[in-house]
Amino acid sequence: MSSLPAFDEPNPAATLAGADRAHQQQQVLALSLLDDEQEWSAFSRPVAHQLGCWESNVLIEGMHCAACALTIEDVLKSVPGVRNVEVSAGSHRAKVVWASQAVVPSGWMQAVHEAGYRALPANDAFARERRLVESRKALWRMMVAGLCMMQVMMYAYPAYVAQPGDLTPEMEQLLRWASWVLTLPVIFFSCGPFFSSAWRDVLHRRISMDLPVALGMLITFLVSSAGTFDPAGIFGHEVFFDSLTMFVFFLLAGRWLELRLRDKTAGALETLMNRLPDSVLRLGPDGQFERVPVRRLQVGDVIRVLPGEAFPADGVLLQGHTSVDEALLTGESRPLTRQVGDEVISGSHNLSAMVQMRVDRVGEHTRFAQIVKLMESASTSKPTLARLADTIAKPFLIGVLIAAGLACAYWWRTDPERALMVAVSVLIVTCPCALSLATPAAMLSAAGALARRGVLVRRLDAFESLAGVDTVMFDKTGTLTRDAMVVNHIQVRQGFTQQQALALAAVLAQHSLHPLSRALVAAAGLAEVTERWQLDQVVEHAGQGVQAVVNFSGGAKPAFVLRLGSASFCDVAQLNPGALQVHMSDDAGWLASFEFQEDLRPDAKATVAALQRAGISVYLLSGDASDAAQRVAEQVGITQAQGNCSPQDKLDFLRESQVRGHKVAVIGDGLNDGPVLAGAHASFAFGQAVPLAQAQADFLVSGGRLTNVVDALLLSRRTLTIVRQNLSWAAIYNAICVPLAVFGLLPAWLAGLGMASSSLLVVLNALRLSKNEQFEWKA
């Protein structure tokens, strides 16, 4: 009779169970901290037009394939209160929409844990450290497998080259035992992730890509072990330790390289999300600066930003002169100068000097938060081709298991040992890793390349639409032109020079906030002024102009009344009725007229020319007057332009073009562009666009370069080409290798090499998109 353990003796089983329960309780406690509503804003945002609903972005650990993504989606959708779920197998991120009245974050996160995975807030500060730990473990597993593989190959080599009678049975058996011992670390250490993932799938009655791989490894080891322990049995003819260690090494090498490449893409998003500092120096009521957490900043606070720190909020510089790096936010690669009165944006880096700034926008209202939201949306969205691949992943895996069973049954009658190894080859070679990675790997790589140039992608499937575009429709104001106006032509009366008239007008215009007044002040900055005037009794008449009494320095000349504004206000005749003009008059009557035009973007003409060379029809539709629209169209080289367009007119044009079979991209930034941006096949909004335009657009150009539209268009075509290459390769690979495996012509080690190589080739092919920093669209 076995005796019961004494109370003071540790029970190993009870100790392990207690440790497991303690770990689970610790996890539940950690997740419950996220149920505080004040913490939700760190990884979630309210959903517009859905009261009480939140959208959370989380990292998923433990995923390996598209089947895992579908499993997590099914698990989360079964949680009451979860409205929508999207899980990306490429970026290992999930977007979860949930109702706060029905569920709290710990509820649906715990469901992910119970399914065998781990959900973490996307802004988790230790995500990078965990990725590094995971990468080191994968490297160690690969190195152990590689070392053991080399030793096992050394012991297997004599059996391949020996002639009959060269090896005694005792020597052959010794070599088998040595190979078996060297395979144990591979099975119990290197193969750990495959077996644990497969066991998790068995417990939850589901299937993923690790299940057939783990079955193949286990069958190979058991068959070879049976041949080692019983050389005279039905499996004693041959052992396959060399094949086992070889394909484990190949699989781990492919997975490790894939992990490194994926981390390169994921790291770009995390670098952006973790760009803000944890704390900042804020001016207190006592006039002293104290360091406070960034989340405690409020609008109106005055803060000090040191060299090397990132600006924690949007605001205006109050003191200091520095250079800032906005490359990751706007695509502007060169440092920009900022001085007192200039605006700075959160997430940009202070490079050269200490400055003080006033906080104007914090949290989700900053441009940085909007950019992060767009990148998160892109990283969790699923293109149509990727959805198709994910949909067929599970049925395909079931087919793999059936095919392996049928192949084993066919060969069992003649050679049971070979039958099992044929089944192993089928299990390994047919795993659809390359198929599931083909689309998301390419599109995530392209999205990262555009982000570095200042173009943010809201939806990955927009690449598919943009690649087929044959028509581009531009808005005018704020798109082909800047918001500001510039002085185009100056007429003056005899006795005055253009420089004198412009300088005098600027002295008066600086007392007005009208856009044309600001344009005059900007233009006068380039004029050389020899006269010095002083203004008295300055009065601005709203909608008409500005009037003042002008005195010369030292009383060299008598004072006079100066007017600047419309023709009626200055009591002069309109010289060019079709132009936008401001007039200036004095006591003697008309003095000068200034003609304005919109400030055309310097790269607008080159952009239109590049689109036309790419075979794309370009249109200009503007809500401004027809003559203004035609004038801008002529300047940039657009032959088809229309003015006085209402939002409905633009939408009608879009629908007519689509009915005729055209794929239309729309580029705009105004409030009236919202409907047409939403209806287009692909759409762009510039970074300063109103929120509605940004919400409807597929691509947001955060910088000011119009050529980024051409970059995105040409890159989308390259992306679709690479996606087709990846899908073709995956299809050809399976079409060739599956029959070879079924007919017993593909050994297990070669099947492992083929599976790892196919996945790695797909990822490396996709990575070419991120390497091409300069797009050759000018040629």
Side-chain angles (χ1 to χ4, degrees):
M1 179 181 296
S2 61
S3 60
L4 294 173
F7 289 105
D8 58 346
E9 293 180 357
N11 186 337
T15 302
L16 285 174
D20 186 57
R21 285 195 299 271
H23 179 66
Q24 291 179 355
Q25 291 174 356
Q26 187 176 5
Q27 284 186 341
V28 172
L29 180 61
L31 289 177
S32 65
L33 297 177
L34 299 176
D35 294 341
D36 185 354
E37 189 170 351
Q38 295 182 354
E39 299 293 331
W40 294 353
S41 60
F43 64 99
S44 310
R45 59 180 59 89
V47 178
H49 311 301
Q50 295 187 38
L51 187 63
C53 286
W54 291 74
E55 178 186 299
S56 299
N57 280 273
V58 294
L59 297 169
I60 304 294
E61 292 186 349
M63 285 180 56
H64 298 294
C65 62
C68 295
L70 291 177
T71 296
I72 296 170
E73 286 185 357
D74 293 340
V75 167
L76 285 173
K77 287 177 181 177
S78 66
V79 177
V82 174
R83 302 290 178 82
N84 187 42
V85 183
E86 286 189 14
V87 182
S88 170
S91 63
H92 290 203
R93 288 176 174 268
K95 180 173 67 177
V96 185
V97 178
W98 49 281
S100 58
Q101 302 92 338
V103 68
V104 290
S106 64
W108 51 265
M109 284 188 180
Q110 185 61 32
V112 175
H113 282 250
E114 292 173 357
Y117 304 91
R118 188 179 183 189
L120 300 165
N123 66 336
D124 189 81
F126 301 102
R128 179 175 176 81
E129 285 75 6
R130 277 193 299 272
R131 285 209 322 272
L132 290 175
V133 170
E134 182 183 0
S135 181
R136 290 193 196 100
K137 288 181 179 178
L139 181 60
W140 271 108
R141 292 189 182 100
M142 181 187 69
M143 291 173 62
V144 169
L147 179 62
C148 294
M149 175 195 69
M150 291 187 291
Q151 298 299 315
V152 171
M153 288 293 294
M154 182 177 68
Y155 293 135
Y157 180 74
Y160 286 110
V161 299
Q163 298 298 321
D166 288 351
L167 285 177
T168 63
E170 293 78 8
M171 180 59 68
E172 185 175 357
Q173 186 65 12
L174 178 62
L175 293 176
R176 288 189 178 187
W177 276 105
S179 298
W180 182 80
V181 171
L182 286 169
T183 305
L184 292 179
V186 177
I187 290 293
F188 290 104
F189 177 67
S190 297
C191 296
F194 298 104
F195 290 141
S196 60
S197 180
W199 181 244
R200 178 189 63 199
D201 292 337
V202 171
L203 291 178
H204 291 88
R205 299 179 181 178
R206 60 174 185 249
I207 186 172
S208 72
M209 294 180 192
D210 281 342
L211 182 58
V213 172
L215 282 175
M217 293 174 179
L218 185 60
I219 291 172
T220 305
F221 180 71
L222 292 178
V223 168
S224 300
S225 297
T228 301
F229 285 93
D230 185 12
I234 60 173
F235 301 120
H237 176 67
E238 186 179 0
V239 294
F240 304 93
F241 294 119
D242 54 336
S243 296
L244 173 60
T245 55
M246 192 179 298
F247 78 69
V248 169
F249 172 73
F250 289 147
L251 291 179
L252 290 175
R255 183 166 288 189
W256 179 73
L257 289 172
E258 183 186 318
L259 179 67
R260 293 293 302 273
L261 295 175
R262 190 187 74 237
D263 286 350
K264 186 175 182 180
T265 303
L269 178 57
E270 289 182 10
T271 298
L272 176 64
M273 294 178 63
N274 297 325
R275 198 173 174 89
L276 296 185
D278 295 325
S279 61
V280 69
L281 292 171
R282 182 177 66 179
L283 183 64
D286 58 354
Q288 301 296 320
F289 283 91
E290 61 175 349
R291 188 161 290 275
V292 298
V294 168
R295 64 176 179 271
R296 291 176 56 188
L297 288 181
Q298 297 180 354
V299 174
D301 285 346
V302 175
I303 62 175
R304 176 180 289 170
V305 182
L306 303 177
E309 289 185 341
F311 291 97
D314 293 352
V316 175
L317 291 188
L318 301 178
Q319 181 179 324
H321 180 281
T322 188
S323 297
V324 299
D325 175 14
E326 297 182 358
L328 200 58
L329 303 175
T330 66
E332 179 57 60
S333 58
R334 294 173 300 178
L336 303 174
T337 301
R338 293 289 182 264
Q339 55 190 357
V340 175
D342 289 344
E343 183 179 357
V344 291
I345 57 177
S346 59
S348 60
H349 267 107
N350 180 18
L351 297 179
S352 56
M354 181 185 69
V355 294
Q356 291 184 20
M357 63 172 285
R358 182 189 69 241
V359 174
D360 289 343
R361 289 181 296 275
V362 296
E364 63 181 11
H365 302 293
T366 63
R367 287 187 61 192
F368 172 80
Q370 296 169 4
I371 291 172
V372 169
K373 179 181 178 181
L374 289 170
M375 293 191 70
E376 286 179 339
S377 176
S379 68
T380 55
S381 63
K382 282 190 178 181
T384 304
L385 293 175
R387 291 180 186 274
L388 179 62
D390 289 356
T391 301
I392 67 175
K394 283 189 175 181
F396 186 86
L397 288 172
I398 294 174
V400 166
L401 295 175
I402 295 174
L406 293 176
C408 181
Y410 174 80
W411 285 96
W412 187 269
R413 293 172 298 175
T414 57
D415 190 345
E417 186 177 33
R418 188 178 184 186
L420 290 174
M421 295 312 297
V422 167
V424 168
S425 297
V426 173
L427 288 172
I428 294 172
V429 80
T430 53
C431 280
C433 294
L435 183 65
S436 65
L437 287 172
T439 301
M443 292 191 176
L444 283 171
S445 183
L450 286 179
R452 287 190 290 273
R453 295 181 65 85
V455 181
L456 303 177
V457 185
R458 290 188 65 246
R459 298 184 300 108
L460 287 183
D461 55 359
F463 280 115
E464 300 174 32
S465 303
L466 184 60
V469 161
D470 59 11
T471 303
V472 169
M473 190 187 85
F474 281 99
D475 180 41
K476 179 176 70 68
T477 306
T479 306
L480 290 173
T481 65
R482 303 180 192 272
D483 293 332
M485 307 292 290
V486 293
V487 177
N488 180 43
H489 182 62
I490 303 176
Q491 293 176 279
V492 297
R493 77 183 180 203
Q494 191 173 3
F496 266 80
T497 66
Q498 291 184 350
Q499 289 78 10
Q500 287 175 325
L502 184 59
L504 183 58
V507 171
L508 188 54
Q510 66 184 356
H511 295 275
S512 170
L513 297 178
H514 195 279
L516 297 183
S517 298
R518 293 200 297 270
L520 281 171
V521 174
L526 304 177
E528 295 184 3
V529 182
T530 57
E531 300 284 357
R532 294 293 180 265
W533 300 285
Q534 296 176 351
L535 301 185
D536 293 324
Q537 304 175 28
V538 180
V539 179
E540 181 173 11
H541 299 268
Q544 300 182 50
V546 187
Q547 174 181 313
V549 176
V550 180
N551 296 299
F552 286 87
S553 300
K557 296 180 181 180
F560 62 92
V561 176
L562 184 69
R563 288 190 171 196
L564 179 71
S566 64
S568 59
F569 179 70
C570 295
D571 196 19
V572 299
Q574 183 80 12
L575 300 182
N576 186 358
L580 179 61
Q581 291 183 324
V582 168
H583 305 277
M584 185 168 62
S585 64
D586 59 8
D587 293 340
W590 174 79
L591 195 155
S593 292
F594 306 92
E595 187 174 317
F596 296 84
Q597 69 175 18
E598 291 174 288
D599 186 13
L600 198 68
R601 291 186 184 273
D603 55 355
K605 187 172 182 179
T607 300
V608 171
L611 291 172
Q612 292 170 341
R613 284 197 299 271
I616 294 174
S617 301
V618 183
Y619 293 81
L620 171 61
L621 273 73
S622 174
D624 290 351
S626 295
D627 55 346
Q630 291 291 343
R631 184 165 55 250
V632 170
E634 292 175 2
Q635 289 177 314
V636 299
I638 297 177
T639 58
Q640 303 173 88
Q642 182 178 341
N644 295 316
C645 291
S646 66
Q648 187 61 46
D649 292 333
K650 294 183 179 182
L651 196 56
D652 290 342
F653 173 86
L654 173 67
R655 288 172 176 169
E656 290 173 7
S657 298
Q658 292 172 335
V659 167
R660 293 196 299 268
H662 294 292
K663 305 291 186 181
V664 185
V666 175
I667 302 151
D669 81 327
L671 182 62
N672 61 351
D673 294 324
V676 73
L677 288 172
H681 291 93
S683 53
F684 293 79
F686 275 73
Q688 301 301 324
V690 296
L692 177 61
Q694 291 184 3
Q696 301 297 343
D698 301 316
F699 300 88
L700 177 63
V701 184
S702 58
R705 291 192 295 267
L706 198 60
T707 52
N708 283 336
V709 173
V710 186
D711 294 341
L713 177 67
L714 298 186
L715 185 61
S716 68
R717 293 181 176 179
R718 278 196 70 218
T719 301
L720 264 292
T721 299
I722 285 183
V723 167
R724 295 189 188 101
Q725 291 174 354
N726 288 345
L727 292 174
S728 299
W729 160 250
I732 292 171
Y733 159 77
N734 281 282
I736 294 174
C737 293
V738 171
L740 292 177
V742 170
F743 289 110
L745 301 176
L746 192 70
W749 69 267
L750 190 55
L753 177 60
M755 176 191 169
S757 299
S758 63
S759 299
L760 190 58
L761 181 62
V762 163
V763 176
L764 289 174
N765 194 31
L767 196 62
R768 293 193 297 131
L769 293 167
S770 64
K771 292 293 184 182
N772 188 16
E773 293 291 340
Q774 299 298 326
F775 303 102
E776 298 297 332
W777 57 268
K778 294 183 180 179

